[in-house]
Amino acid sequence: MTPVDTAVSGGVSFALTDEQKELRALAREFAAKEIRPAAAEHDVTMRHPADVIAKAHGVGLMNLHVPAEYGGLGLNAFDGTLVGEELNWGCTGIGTSIGANGLGAGPVIIAGSDEQKARWLPPLLESPILCSFGLSEPDAGSDVARLKTTAVRRGDEYVLNGSKTFITNAGYADWTVVFAKTDPSKGHRGISAFIVPMDAPGVTIEQHLDKMGQRATDTSAFALQDVVVPTANRLGEEGGGFKLAMQTLDFTRPGTAIGAVGVAQAAYELAVDYAKERVTFDLPIAMHQGVNFMIADMATEIEAARLLTWQAAWMLDQGERATLYSSFAKRFAADTAMKVTTDAVQVFGGYGYMKEYPVEKLMRDAKLFQIYEGTSQIQRLVIAKEIFMPRG
Ligand code: CAA
């Protein structure tokens, strides 16, 4: 199975342009040559893949959505999915390390003033520096409104105090968009967003967290103790941080969903190849219905996840509010990746459970898609709210 390239029917086109096919091929080649060979070592050691990130930066596979006027490619969300699937087909840990600047820079692209964009975005294109998205806290992951980090205004500055955790790439980031309460009495309406340089006095990386999967990606916890940032670093209005976080996640969730499609596709391909080779009861196991039905379901569900993700990205590119479709895509693709990778281990049997074969890593990697950027349960909550309490 390959992604749909050319089918056109009933006025709805799934055709990729030649440029899009080239972009996808570039990402696939990079994933095959630079990511896959490095994946196992990073999985074992958790070494930060700075070298692969630098190469991805060099060939233009990072910071895809930075607008052209700030030196970026200005790719739309749909084209981003073409790149994201391939990088994550290579390795979701390394793919996430490369792609996470999209989440970090998202709030600046969405809400930054011209001055803020001109200051913070071009350096991302000039060298392979990282930025991150500082939303989650030890006591506020799914329930964003509960976050406790504070930002107290003092003249032309804010003083930030608090802790962040589970932050992708934070341990190696130049700057992080930190969400903090400027008015704790106002709940979600009291949250504001700030660009915080990670070398500012008072910022301490407390831990590079040791994860089950996607071990190539840095996931860090950091503390902010009396960290001073100028008011010029506040993104948008005071109190606008919660909505900015939600708008950013609306944009990035299809990018995460397509990462789940990438890992599922990788597991599927391995399962198909193995099923053709492995013989039991005098037949390749692909000839046994118990196996080939599993593989038929994998193929169907991967294609459905890809198309749902493409639709969410397409809606974003039309300027439509894509909250519902972004959550559809994230929920379905993440759960599909978990099921497909689990079934791929099953197809490999005892070998699948062994570290000597690649599918157990894919199963561990897939699990994170059901958790980060909003758990599968949070996606269902968003979907249910959109159905029963639409925001219009
Ligand atoms: N766009 C714009 N506005 C939105 C919005 C959206 N998508 N969703 C909600 N809002 C607005 C609402 O209209 C409402 O506005 P008013 O103030 O005018 O009333 C306000 O925001 C509050 O909305 P809710 O009442 O729906 O808020 P809630 O407290 O019930 O929570 C939630 C909503 C969807 C559960 C939210 O808390 C959420 O998304 N949680 C998951 C957070 C998440 O994904 N975290 C992942 C962190 S990033 C990460 O994982 C990456 C990494 O680095 C590891």
Side-chain angles (χ1 to χ4, degrees):
M1 186 186 71
T2 54
V4 176
D5 277 344
T6 54
V8 180
S9 75
V12 177
S13 171
F14 297 100
L16 299 184
T17 64
D18 288 344
E19 289 79 17
Q20 287 171 325
K21 287 183 199 164
E22 273 169 34
L23 180 67
R24 189 174 65 181
L26 173 74
R28 169 62 71 118
E29 190 187 344
F30 184 84
K33 283 197 184 145
E34 304 291 350
I35 297 181
R36 280 222 164 161
E41 187 253 315
H42 289 281
D43 180 49
V44 172
T45 63
M46 280 181 57
R47 184 170 67 80
H48 176 57
D51 43 355
V52 191
I53 292 172
K55 286 179 190 168
H57 187 271
V59 295
L61 290 173
M62 268 180 87
N63 305 303
L64 304 174
H65 305 300
V66 172
E69 59 198 292
Y70 301 103
L73 288 174
L75 289 193
N76 62 21
F78 184 87
D79 290 351
T81 68
L82 300 177
V83 173
E85 176 173 345
E86 301 308 334
L87 299 185
N88 284 278
W89 170 87
C91 166
T92 55
I94 298 176
T96 297
S97 304
I98 294 168
N101 271 11
L103 180 61
V108 180
I109 295 172
I110 292 170
S113 63
D114 290 344
E115 292 75 26
Q116 287 171 326
K117 289 178 184 171
R119 164 145 189 223
W120 298 101
L121 298 178
L124 298 176
L125 283 308
E126 285 154 19
S127 63
I129 61 171
L130 301 175
C131 56
S132 61
F133 185 75
L135 185 64
S136 301
E137 299 188 355
D139 195 30
S142 292
D143 188 356
V144 173
R146 272 176 72 94
L147 65 80
K148 292 199 184 84
T149 296
T150 55
V152 177
R153 182 141 186 181
R154 200 176 63 187
D156 290 342
E157 302 170 335
Y158 286 91
V159 183
L160 278 72
N161 280 284
S163 311
K164 296 287 171 182
T165 194
F166 305 142
I167 310 300
T168 302
N169 280 348
Y172 300 94
D174 270 38
W175 49 271
T176 296
V177 174
V178 170
F179 293 84
K181 289 244 167 93
T182 37
D183 186 346
S185 71
K186 287 190 177 158
H188 71 265
R189 292 184 183 155
I191 295 172
S192 307
F194 302 90
I195 302 169
V196 176
M198 294 301 275
D199 61 358
V203 178
T204 312
I205 301 297
E206 294 184 307
Q207 205 182 348
H208 298 279
L209 297 155
D210 191 357
K211 304 196 295 298
M212 170 200 269
Q214 299 203 17
R215 290 167 56 78
T217 310
D218 175 62
T219 305
S220 283
F222 64 91
L224 301 137
Q225 193 178 2
D226 296 328
V227 176
V228 176
V229 295
T231 50
N233 284 26
R234 193 189 69 227
L235 289 165
E237 295 301 314
E238 260 196 22
F242 184 94
K243 285 191 187 175
L244 178 56
M246 295 301 120
Q247 287 165 335
T248 305
L249 292 166
D250 281 352
F251 189 82
T252 57
R253 281 176 182 154
T256 306
I258 208 69
V261 173
V263 70
Q265 177 73 26
Y268 161 82
E269 289 172 11
L270 289 165
V272 168
D273 289 346
Y274 186 76
K276 287 192 235 169
E277 281 165 20
R278 175 73 171 171
V279 173
T280 62
F281 306 104
D282 299 326
L283 286 173
I285 60 171
M287 303 303 288
H288 299 308
Q289 205 173 65
V291 172
N292 64 34
F293 272 23
M294 253 195 284
I295 288 176
D297 284 350
M298 287 182 195
T300 312
E301 284 154 28
I302 292 169
E303 193 62 32
R306 179 181 292 116
L307 290 175
L308 198 46
T309 304
W310 280 8
Q311 185 173 358
W314 176 85
M315 286 178 78
L316 285 166
D317 294 338
Q318 305 313 303
E320 291 182 33
R321 202 166 70 76
T323 306
L324 179 63
Y325 276 78
S326 289
S327 284
F328 278 164
K330 168 70 169 58
R331 199 295 280 164
F332 188 73
D335 292 351
T336 294
M338 197 64 245
K339 180 168 182 295
V340 167
T341 55
T342 305
D343 285 351
V345 169
Q346 193 69 18
V347 170
F348 275 72
Y351 291 111
Y353 203 68
M354 299 299 142
K355 290 202 177 272
E356 195 185 338
Y357 284 78
V359 283
E360 64 81 31
K361 170 185 180 292
L362 302 185
M363 185 175 157
R364 287 186 284 109
D365 288 348
K367 185 64 200 167
L368 192 48
F369 286 104
Q370 293 182 308
I371 297 172
Y372 65 3
E373 288 205 32
T375 63
S376 291
Q377 289 67 35
I378 286 293
Q379 305 314 322
R380 287 180 173 90
L381 192 151
V382 172
I383 292 164
K385 278 194 184 205
E386 289 286 309
I387 294 168
F388 294 109
M389 293 176 279
R391 278 183 294 115

